[in-house]
Amino acid sequence: MRVYIPLTLSGLARLHVAREIAPAPLTAYAVTPALREWYLSGNEEELEYAALSRAAAASLRLVATELGVARRRVVVAADVPDRVAFADPELALSPEALGEVRLAEAVPLGWLAAVHVDAEEAADDVQVAAEAVGAADQGDEDAQFVVDGAADHELLWYGVQEIDRLV
């Protein structure tokens, strides 16, 4: 199963040193049955993009909680055995948890497929969005508009072998 794991640049640096994303359980995003149902139309590529976008939003929340970390969203794509990922059936249809899965094991570097990171030019918008995400989560429409500004930035694709250059 392809999963998208939200991180920050400091989390990516920890991955680079430890050669895994740990400890389990980890929160990730994937094309779940609930995500398919929510996006009634859409091919596999569009559904994968939706899962990636959910992980990017979760990465923004991580950025908001880490002081002193570079203000760029990071999402790692990994191919994990099906036995590792599971969705909470009680949250399956919750709009806030669409596509969310738990990973029961640490994710070794060998399972990684790609890394997605904001361009440096996105840092200012990500900073402002990180400051507004709490209010947006509470229903503030102006704050949501600011958060959506960060979501307008496409994450750049990097190969796993480029992690050392990113950190």
Side-chain angles (χ1 to χ4, degrees):
M1 171 184 279
R2 171 66 54 99
V3 298
Y4 298 93
I5 306 165
L7 293 176
T8 61
L9 282 175
S10 61
L12 191 62
R14 286 189 297 276
L15 160 64
H16 181 61
V17 171
R19 315 297 285 173
E20 69 177 4
I21 304 170
L26 299 163
T27 299
Y29 295 83
V31 178
T32 62
L35 188 71
R36 284 184 193 284
E37 188 175 324
W38 186 265
Y39 291 93
L40 293 174
S41 64
N43 61 31
E44 195 66 24
E45 186 175 314
E46 291 168 327
L47 292 168
E48 291 282 344
Y49 184 78
L52 171 66
S53 297
R54 304 285 298 169
S59 175
L60 178 65
R61 286 172 179 79
L62 294 174
V63 168
T65 63
E66 284 192 24
L67 300 176
V69 67
R71 300 326 223 181
R72 293 164 65 194
R73 299 167 299 161
V74 177
V75 175
V76 175
D79 294 319
V80 303
D82 289 342
R83 65 175 165 68
V84 172
F86 59 94
D88 183 340
E90 292 185 25
L91 296 176
L93 295 177
S94 169
E96 298 81 30
L98 278 176
E100 188 174 297
V101 295
R102 296 276 185 256
L103 304 179
E105 298 177 19
V107 176
L109 189 63
W111 290 357
L112 302 188
V115 180
H116 304 271
V117 181
D118 273 313
E120 289 182 25
E121 298 80 42
D124 290 341
D125 288 341
V126 172
Q127 169 66 38
V128 174
E131 293 169 1
V133 73
D137 287 345
Q138 298 299 316
D140 183 319
E141 291 179 12
D142 292 333
Q144 186 61 53
F145 181 77
V146 172
V147 169
D148 291 343
D152 288 342
H153 292 278
E154 293 290 328
L155 298 177
L156 302 177
W157 182 95
Y158 294 92
V160 175
Q161 69 278 11
E162 296 179 275
I163 291 175
D164 61 338
R165 190 170 63 91
L166 291 168
V167 298

